[in-house]
Amino acid sequence: MLDQNLEAVPRTDEIIREFSNQRHGAYQPLEQVASAESQAALRQMSIERLMAYGVHHADVVELRGRVWAGESWQDVADELAATCLDPPESHISIETGVTRANRLFRASALVRMSQMMMVENSEERSAIFARAGELYAEAGRLTGDLDRIDFDTPYGTLRGWLCRCRGREPVGRAIVIGGIEGWSMDFGAMGQALAIRGVETVTLDGPGQGESRLVHKHYLKFGWEKSYFSVLDEMESWEPKLPIAFVGNSMGGAVGMHLARLDGRIAAICDNGGTPNPGRDRGNTTFAHKMKAHTGAETLEAAAEVWKSVRPVDLEQPLTCPLLVVHGGLDPLISAEDALAMFNSAVSKDRHIVTFSDGDHCVYNHSDDKHALICDWVISRLEAAR
């Protein structure tokens, strides 16, 4: 029987507001949050997106609640990371390796979030990201199925994380990348979801992303494809030799489609939230400046020229390998027309488009279902390619 009080159960945002009420006084509308940066953070870093990037629910609630109440996004994220590493209850028992790994993963996610509202490259940002990587690497050493991996390329080092298939032989391999803001560690859950199903996966910071950029100074430059080709070269040399799939999230979907058009070693490509026109004019917006930081260019105009070299749609050299396009019906960044343009540009005999009717950008609000869809599709195409 339907609970007659069901409509009275608070939604998560209402819980966050109540948290803010109890801890910091009366709740204020988002527009009245004093800091413009905090307003932007609360708009952009939704509950679902934060959790998809590895921030645990309790930390999400406190982070958003305290920022909504007026505290600094970076300060709260840093404080919560410190608490994860040394919680007040830790003195009552000896910490096990499982517990320590969990705390390290949580802390790494929060440290990564602490720099999320930074737009430009800086030494401070690089140091923050390097720390997040060290925490993540320490957690991986404890779990035993996650290794830091560096790839040598003509333009410098690319950093990735190898998610191993624990207790089973892999049926294939995959590369997973993010976009302008969410990077390899943020998509660790997708890498683990593939690995546990039998796909040995590299979650990669491509040119202009994550540690490749902020630690190794490897930016998206003209000829950027050669860096990815070097990654494919190395993975192709691994034993046993296995087919390779590519999963691109957000702008990474456009990058992945471009690469899959050019390199037949990519046996299947999934575009989750990519744009058919990465180089379009975005004006003098914050997002345009983030894209500029991705390239290391001096001007927005120079950065835009680099981004025009990313061509997921090319009617003269269309995509031919199996394609899965995943789209969120409520995505504020990628329209249904954009998703269809990606889908229709391919001449692949095996192509599918799946729309989550209430999905947000990259379908962060249906992570489990999204992972199941993408992972099962990837496995089936890799098995067919063997």
Side-chain angles (χ1 to χ4, degrees), residues 350-386:
D350 178 3
R351 58 177 183 161
H352 299 271
I353 183 168
V354 176
T355 298
F356 288 74
S357 60
D358 65 338
D360 58 10
H361 185 54
C362 291
V363 197
Y364 293 125
N365 58 333
H366 288 283
S367 285
D368 285 351
D369 293 330
K370 174 186 67 178
H371 289 162
L373 166 68
I374 292 174
C375 296
D376 290 352
W377 182 85
V378 165
I379 290 170
S380 65
R381 272 54 185 185
L382 289 175
E383 287 179 333
R386 295 185 68 173

Side-chain angles (χ1 to χ4, degrees), residues 77-98:
D78 283 340
E79 183 180 322
L80 290 174
T83 301
C84 281
L85 293 172
D86 187 21
E89 71 274 14
S90 61
H91 69 282
I92 64 174
S93 60
I94 297 174
E95 185 179 61
T96 63
V98 172

Side-chain angles (χ1 to χ4, degrees), residues 242-285:
L242 295 169
I244 301 171
F246 200 107
V247 180
N249 300 279
S250 192
M251 191 66 79
V255 170
M257 291 245 330
H258 177 113
L259 292 168
R261 288 193 305 99
L262 302 179
D263 197 318
R265 292 175 295 181
I266 297 176
I269 170 69
C270 173
D271 159 40
N272 175 35
T275 173
N277 187 13
R280 69 177 177 84
D281 182 18
R282 299 176 188 274
N284 188 22
T285 61

Side-chain angles (χ1 to χ4, degrees), residues 22-81:
Q22 293 175 1
R23 183 168 181 139
H24 300 281
Y27 163 73
Q28 56 185 339
L30 179 59
E31 294 74 19
Q32 294 180 18
V33 173
S35 165
E37 179 181 278
S38 294
Q39 289 185 25
L42 291 166
R43 282 195 303 269
Q44 296 171 24
M45 303 308 298
S46 67
I47 300 159
E48 295 85 0
R49 186 180 181 189
L50 285 163
M51 292 182 67
Y53 284 178
V55 183
H56 285 215
H57 182 265
D59 300 326
V60 169
V61 170
E62 185 164 355
L63 173 60
R64 284 179 56 88
R66 289 172 59 181
V67 171
W68 209 315
E71 295 186 58
S72 156
W73 178 271
Q74 183 176 351
D75 289 346
V76 176
D78 283 340
E79 183 180 322
L80 290 174

Side-chain angles (χ1 to χ4, degrees), residues 204-365:
L204 182 70
D205 281 329
Q209 296 180 327
E211 290 185 286
S212 295
R213 168 175 128 208
L214 293 171
V215 175
H216 294 294
K217 312 302 181 186
H218 189 149
Y219 299 97
L220 188 80
K221 303 284 190 181
F222 290 112
W224 56 269
E225 300 97 330
K226 294 177 183 177
S227 294
Y228 283 102
F229 295 157
S230 294
V231 174
L232 288 165
D233 289 343
E234 182 163 339
M235 291 178 67
E236 193 179 35
S237 73
W238 296 347
E239 293 293 341
K241 296 186 182 299
L242 295 169
I244 301 171
F246 200 107
V247 180
N249 300 279
S250 192
M251 191 66 79
V255 170
M257 291 245 330
H258 177 113
L259 292 168
R261 288 193 305 99
L262 302 179
D263 197 318
R265 292 175 295 181
I266 297 176
I269 170 69
C270 173
D271 159 40
N272 175 35
T275 173
N277 187 13
R280 69 177 177 84
D281 182 18
R282 299 176 188 274
N284 188 22
T285 61
T286 298
F287 193 75
H289 282 273
K290 291 178 180 180
M291 293 182 73
K292 178 172 77 72
H294 208 94
T295 67
E298 293 294 326
T299 66
L300 291 174
E301 293 75 19
E305 289 303 310
V306 175
W307 279 107
K308 288 177 183 177
S309 71
V310 181
R311 298 185 302 277
V313 173
D314 189 330
L315 300 181
E316 294 184 2
Q317 192 175 2
L319 184 77
T320 60
C321 72
L323 167 67
L324 173 65
V325 176
V326 179
H327 177 59
L330 299 181
D331 188 334
L333 303 177
I334 303 299
S335 67
E337 291 74 20
D338 288 334
L340 281 170
M342 300 287 266
F343 175 75
N344 289 328
S345 72
V347 297
S348 315
K349 294 180 180 178
D350 178 3
R351 58 177 183 161
H352 299 271
I353 183 168
V354 176
T355 298
F356 288 74
S357 60
D358 65 338
D360 58 10
H361 185 54
C362 291
V363 197
Y364 293 125
N365 58 333

